[in-house]
């Protein structure tokens, strides 16, 4: 004689099957996304390493003296001298200055200047407000070895931390401040190209800012800034980095713009130390630069990007992340 299960048992079994299917689907989705995330991170870390071996266990304090000198630069007799003490706008490196070599025939000069300094963007009181803000928030530990690199979308873009192998020694954080972006966009008027050589127009300052503090011994090794949407808009690309000096009570710590490394627009190295509240602007992707060694005192800077229309045609060298120059 056949027996049949009760409706409740049949229903329960069907529910369990459905739950099992859902669990398997979710597990598969999580696993696929986990694999994709690992692949994306591997690609990003390889790009940032730029052919160098990054020792993820290295810290600035573990570096040899010879390596530290390569990372923590001080100017020497090969640097050209530039006086920017007057605190006004001044062009420093013309666009494509070093591109008279056949290796650079495919490069595009995007703007009349590859490096320049601005008039004051902030007054002394505003600079102090930002220094106070830096002290009131949680900056990274100076021994924490990382840089922010581009991954993710929207507000999360560029917040992935990637090891540097001891190439950076500072305290830093990322701050989102749309009001400050609007203020700086207004104050930059007349000091930046509103249109690039190829006709792409300026669209604004990104609202994500890096706020960094360098104490004695701090530095940022030679590197090349990447380019991308930066979470600003899918129809824009960051084209220039602004380095805004919000303190002046320190020794050393200038920004070094370096020749060589196969692609830099800089013909002869130069170190710039803007007046309080002034900034240096440099092109991304083609200017090798470094945060020079701070000898004494405390250096505070802010960094942010200038966004322009995205190029219609892919460029021969698309750079999405910072890449090391040494």
């Amino acid at each position: 004689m056949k027996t049949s299960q009760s409706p409740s048992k049949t229903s329960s079994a069907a529910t369990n099957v459905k739950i099992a299917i859902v669990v398997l689907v979710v597990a598969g989705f999580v696993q696929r996304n986990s694999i994709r995330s690992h692949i994306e991170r591997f690609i990003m870390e390889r790009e940032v390493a730029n052919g160098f071996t990054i020792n993820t266990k290295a810290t600035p304090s573990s570096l040899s003296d010879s390596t530290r000198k390569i990372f923590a630069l001080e100017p020497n007799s090969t640097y050209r001298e530039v006086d920017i003490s007057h605190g006004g706008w001044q062009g420093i490196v013309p666009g494509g200055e070093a591109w008279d070599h056949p290796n650079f025939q495919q490069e595009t000069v995007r703007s009349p200047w590859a490096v320049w300094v601005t008039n004051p963007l902030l007054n002394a009181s505003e600079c102090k407000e930002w220094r106070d803000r830096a002290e009131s928030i949680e900056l990274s530990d100076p021994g924490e070895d990382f840089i922010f690199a581009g991954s993710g979308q929207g507000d999360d873009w560029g917040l992935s931390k990637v090891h540097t192998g001891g190439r950076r020694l500072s305290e830093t954080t990322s701050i989102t401040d749309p009001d400050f972006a609007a203020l700086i966009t207004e104050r930059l008027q007349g000091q930046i190209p509103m249109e690039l050589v190829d006709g792409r127009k300026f669209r604004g300052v990104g609202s994500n800012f890096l706020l960094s503090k360098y104490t004695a011994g701090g530095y940022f090794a030679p590197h090349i800034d990447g380019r991308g949407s930066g979470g600003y808009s899918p129809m824009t690309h960051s084209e220039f980095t602004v380095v805004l000096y919000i303190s002046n009570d320190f020794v050393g710590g200038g920004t070094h713009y370096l020749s060589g490394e196969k692609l830099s627009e800089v013909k002869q190295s130069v170190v710039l130390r803007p007046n309080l509240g002034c900034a240096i602007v440099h092109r991304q992707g083609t200017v090798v630069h470094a945060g020079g060694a701070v000898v004494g005192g405390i250096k505070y800077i802010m960094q942010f990007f200038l966004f322009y229309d995205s190029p219609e045609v892919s460029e021969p060298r698309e750079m999405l992340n910072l890449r090391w120059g040494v």
Side-chain angles (χ1 to χ4, degrees):
M1 183 175 72
K2 292 183 178 180
T3 60
S4 60
Q5 291 181 316
S6 67
S8 61
K9 289 183 178 180
T10 302
S11 175
S12 176
T15 300
N16 289 338
V17 170
K18 290 178 181 178
I19 291 174
I21 292 173
V22 170
V23 169
L24 287 173
V25 170
V26 171
F29 176 79
V30 170
Q31 185 178 30
R32 284 195 302 274
N33 277 273
S34 177
I35 293 173
R36 184 171 63 184
S37 175
H38 279 84
I39 292 174
E40 288 177 350
R41 185 168 183 85
F42 171 77
I43 292 172
M44 177 176 66
E45 290 179 344
R46 185 180 64 180
E47 180 185 87
V48 169
N50 195 27
F52 296 99
T53 299
I54 301 297
N55 179 3
T56 59
K57 294 182 180 180
T59 61
S61 61
S62 72
L63 300 177
S64 66
D65 289 343
S66 59
T67 300
R68 190 181 181 90
K69 285 182 179 179
I70 296 173
F71 292 170
L73 298 184
E74 296 183 16
N76 56 44
S77 60
T78 68
Y79 281 56
R80 64 189 177 100
E81 294 185 7
V82 174
D83 182 8
I84 59 171
S85 60
H86 61 85
W89 194 101
Q90 185 173 335
I92 305 296
V93 178
E97 177 188 55
W99 287 352
D100 52 4
H101 191 280
N103 289 348
F104 300 130
Q105 286 180 354
Q106 300 232 339
E107 297 292 352
T108 302
V109 175
R110 236 178 248 138
S111 60
W113 296 96
V115 181
W116 67 95
V117 293
T118 71
N119 297 323
L121 300 178
L122 299 179
N123 60 36
S125 176
E126 291 169 324
C127 288
K128 183 178 184 305
E129 287 178 8
W130 274 105
R131 295 196 303 272
D132 291 344
R133 186 170 178 178
E135 293 299 333
S136 69
I137 60 180
E138 186 176 354
L139 296 173
S140 65
D141 187 280
E144 187 180 359
D145 178 52
F146 75 91
I147 53 104
F148 290 116
S151 70
Q153 300 294 326
D155 292 339
D156 293 330
W157 196 97
L159 296 183
S160 291
K161 293 182 177 181
V162 176
H163 288 288
T164 78
R167 287 166 166 80
R168 180 187 72 87
L169 178 56
S170 67
E171 303 166 60
T172 190
T173 192
S174 177
I175 294 177
T176 300
D177 192 328
D179 291 338
F180 185 67
L183 174 69
I184 288 295
T185 297
E186 181 181 340
R187 292 184 180 179
L188 281 170
Q189 298 300 309
Q191 303 197 63
I192 59 173
M194 300 307 291
E195 185 175 303
L196 301 181
V197 171
D198 59 8
R200 291 184 290 131
K201 292 181 170 48
F202 174 62
R203 296 303 178 189
V205 171
S207 59
N208 290 329
F209 300 85
L210 290 182
L211 180 58
S212 300
K213 173 183 178 181
Y214 293 76
T215 53
Y219 61 88
F220 201 143
H223 61 279
I224 306 154
D225 290 347
R227 299 169 53 234
S229 70
Y232 183 83
S233 164
M235 301 303 292
T236 61
H237 262 63
S238 60
E239 296 289 348
F240 299 95
T241 297
V242 181
V243 184
L244 174 59
Y245 277 65
I246 56 174
S247 70
N248 60 358
D249 189 17
F250 60 93
V251 180
T255 303
H256 294 237
Y257 290 94
L258 307 170
S259 61
E261 299 300 338
K262 300 180 182 178
L263 59 84
S264 184
E265 290 186 71
V266 181
K267 198 162 193 174
Q268 183 179 3
S269 298
V270 61
V271 61
L272 302 175
R273 167 77 183 271
N275 289 4
L276 181 69
C278 295
I280 318 168
V281 186
H282 63 255
R283 181 181 168 186
Q284 297 174 346
T286 57
V287 173
V288 181
H289 60 286
V294 174
V295 178
I298 302 177
K299 166 187 170 182
Y300 292 92
I301 60 170
M302 299 179 70
Q303 293 162 278
F304 49 93
F305 304 149
L306 307 182
F307 288 88
Y308 292 75
D309 295 324
S310 297
E312 294 182 3
V313 179
S314 296
E315 298 182 39
R317 187 177 24 77
E318 183 72 6
M319 304 187 68
L320 299 178
N321 282 307
L322 172 152
R323 296 185 181 186
W324 297 112
V326 295

